[in-house]
Amino acid sequence: MSSPSRAPSRALVLFSGGQDSSVCLAWALDRYDHVETVGFDYGQRHAVELAQRSVVRDRILAEFPLWAERLGEDHMLDLTGFGAVGDTAMTADRAFEITEKGLPNTFVPGRNLVFLTYAAALADRRKARFLVGGMCETDFSGYPDCRRDSLDALQTALNMGMAQDFVIETPLMWLTKAETWGLAKRLGGEPLVELILEHSHTCYRGERGERHPWGHGCGTCPACELRARGWDQWAQAGRQVLAAEAAS
């Protein structure tokens, strides 16, 4: 008597087109049977990241045939109304600074909570159990909705409110930016590292002109500084592959 076949595992990746979400996409493709992506247009001033999403996806399809078999549909959701409510340096042309609450003015209040709520609604329709995001407590800017405690609370609320058993996966939660590069190399070798360097976008100012050793960007905004510092640390350590247990 044959055993019943296992239902294919399905994941939805919150995919911005940046370094972190590109690594998360590779992580999900390496792990799940079927992976779809979702992006959010919230009026971000670095809207070039939305264009780079399709570039990164297309390069993965072309360069990683095993992953290409698992990569499904891409979805884009319009959240410009939400972005206008936030009124931060992520959506308005203003200097980057620290607010009276001690948080960077790039913090969009509740952004990850809103993104994951919309993603869960989409995942319910697409029959995806796993929601994958690049939130991180190790190398982040102090955003409270990047904390694992916040996401655990949201996971509980989503499952109660939707009668679901979603799992919010955050493979980068305890990794530094240097270790994120190491995870990329473990997942896809130097081809994936080069793909992320050349095609992902992180710069808050949306600049794609100069190619730095760590990728494209203005080089002075908080996102560029964090990405460059992580790259420098990883390069100085010999561009090592991250051990599998470190990313679990």
Side-chain angles (χ1 to χ4, degrees), residues 160-174:
M160 291 180 65
M162 296 189 189
Q164 271 285 1
D165 61 346
F166 293 125
V167 177
I168 298 176
E169 295 278 20
T170 52
L172 311 185
M173 180 57 68
W174 311 115

Side-chain angles (χ1 to χ4, degrees), residues 1-111:
M1 181 175 173
S2 61
S3 58
S5 59
R6 178 181 65 85
S9 56
R10 299 175 65 90
L12 180 64
V13 178
L14 280 66
F15 182 54
S16 69
Q19 174 191 353
D20 290 348
S21 68
S22 295
V23 176
C24 285
L25 177 55
W27 181 88
L29 289 167
D30 192 61
R31 189 180 186 96
Y32 301 111
D33 298 312
H34 181 82
V35 177
E36 298 186 10
T37 51
V38 58
F40 306 96
D41 180 357
Y42 60 98
Q44 56 266 58
R45 56 192 283 196
H46 56 307
V48 65
E49 71 173 4
L50 301 181
Q52 292 306 117
R53 295 177 70 258
S54 61
V55 176
V56 173
R57 279 180 50 99
D58 288 347
R59 296 315 306 166
I60 286 176
L61 289 170
E63 298 179 30
F64 298 92
L66 293 179
W67 289 351
E69 296 175 1
R70 301 179 177 186
L71 184 57
E73 290 186 41
D74 181 41
H75 310 270
M76 177 63 68
L77 303 183
D78 184 350
L79 297 184
T80 49
F82 167 72
V85 170
D87 188 28
T88 70
M90 293 288 274
T91 56
D93 187 7
R94 61 181 63 170
F96 301 114
E97 57 189 11
I98 301 299
T99 70
E100 65 278 1
K101 292 184 178 180
L103 293 171
N105 66 347
T106 52
F107 172 60
V108 181
R111 181 181 62 172

